[in-house]
Amino acid sequence: MTPHQKGLMITALGVLVIAPDALLLRFITLPAEQVVLWRGLLNMLGFFAIVVFRYRRHWVQAYLACTRVGIGCALLFTVSTFGFVLGNHFTKAGNVLVILASAPFIAALLSRFFLHERLALRTGLAIAGSMVGISLIVIDDLGSGSWLGSAFALLAALGLAGNLTLARSRPHIDMSPMLTLSGLFTATFAFIWIKFTGSAIALPDAVNAGWLLLLCALLLPIGFTLIQQGPQYIPSAEVSLLLLLETILGTLLVWWILSERPSPLALLGGAIVVSVIFIKNGIEFLKTAPAPLCKK
């Protein structure tokens, strides 16, 4: 495969791995701040285990190679996580998803301004089409909401786009090991949140612990390790665009497992998002495919 094809495949595989995120969160019956705390701690352990497995005795060098840019990626990934959680806390989920759908557009602007990468016309059209599709998916949940919640959602979109663009600035370095640090940051902020609210840290029961381990120690570390490597091969806007598929796949899983049937508009919106992304990536594969060898 060409580097561009490899980037598309790695990112798409990562999106498939994290697709059950929304579904598994429905099975966890803990307060939001407790979920974020355990999510951060288990993410940290999961990312660390992956780094040691991949790099063996050179795992320390893998972290040192990321330098300050890697720390920036970890901070921005943490900002995105908390922006998403707090956005959903203060406003409607529909408002959050629509604002988060702007992440590919923000990533394209950041890449153009800081990295001087031009956005292909087909990518721009795919971003516009995806934003229309996401809007249709959540149109029943849109409302006035809270300006604070919308601000946190915008912060999540900025954090996501910023992390991927910063990783793209060093395409020769694998920044995924620094997601370990992001797990530590997330757990630390969640601990402060818990203390600020006056509640106590509680160990999850066996059922919640099982779902947390599956999601936060296994699926999310594997998925986001793959996604974080995407900017090594493709622009950050394309990585952000593929991440929108997680919303569609997550919705379909919830529909299938929990029988929460989406509205006809939501189904139409999902079809639009999937179609434009598949058409766009199909064109990319055709354009970047190596020419066949000719026999004499």
Side-chain angles (χ1 to χ4, degrees), residues 92-99 101 131-143 247 251 263 265-267 269-270:
K92 293 189 174 185
N95 294 348
V96 175
L97 287 176
V98 168
I99 295 173
M131 292 184 70
V132 171
I134 292 291
S135 299
L136 291 177
I137 291 172
V138 300
I139 196 167
D140 292 333
D141 195 35
L142 287 175
T247 300
T251 301
S263 67
L265 272 180
L267 291 174

Side-chain angles (χ1 to χ4, degrees), residues 67-105:
T67 64
R68 290 178 295 179
V69 175
I71 296 175
C73 288
L75 285 170
L76 288 167
F77 188 82
T78 306
V79 166
S80 178
T81 299
F82 263 84
F84 182 78
V85 172
L86 293 175
N88 279 285
H89 181 74
F90 286 106
T91 191
K92 293 189 174 185
N95 294 348
V96 175
L97 287 176
V98 168
I99 295 173
L100 200 60
S102 66
F105 178 70

Side-chain angles (χ1 to χ4, degrees), residues 11 103-105 107-108 160-161 164 235-245:
T11 306
F105 178 70
L160 175 63
L164 296 174
S236 58
E238 295 192 42
V239 178
S240 302
L241 185 62
L242 282 170
L243 271 169
L244 295 182
L245 284 176

Side-chain angles (χ1 to χ4, degrees), residues 49 135 138 193 201 260 263 286 293:
S135 299
V138 300
W193 180 9
I201 298 174
E260 294 184 9
S263 67
L286 291 175
L293 296 175

Side-chain angles (χ1 to χ4, degrees), residues 30-112:
L30 293 175
E33 64 273 13
Q34 301 284 345
V35 173
V36 175
L37 174 66
W38 293 109
R39 184 179 180 125
L41 290 174
L42 292 174
N43 276 181
M44 179 178 66
L45 295 175
F47 283 124
F48 179 71
I50 290 173
V51 173
V52 173
F53 176 78
R54 291 178 62 208
Y55 289 96
R56 308 291 178 175
R57 58 183 178 179
H58 302 294
W59 63 271
V60 175
Q61 289 88 331
Y63 283 106
L64 294 177
C66 296
T67 64
R68 290 178 295 179
V69 175
I71 296 175
C73 288
L75 285 170
L76 288 167
F77 188 82
T78 306
V79 166
S80 178
T81 299
F82 263 84
F84 182 78
V85 172
L86 293 175
N88 279 285
H89 181 74
F90 286 106
T91 191
K92 293 189 174 185
N95 294 348
V96 175
L97 287 176
V98 168
I99 295 173
L100 200 60
S102 66
F105 178 70
I106 296 172
L109 290 179
L110 292 175
S111 296
R112 183 73 184 95

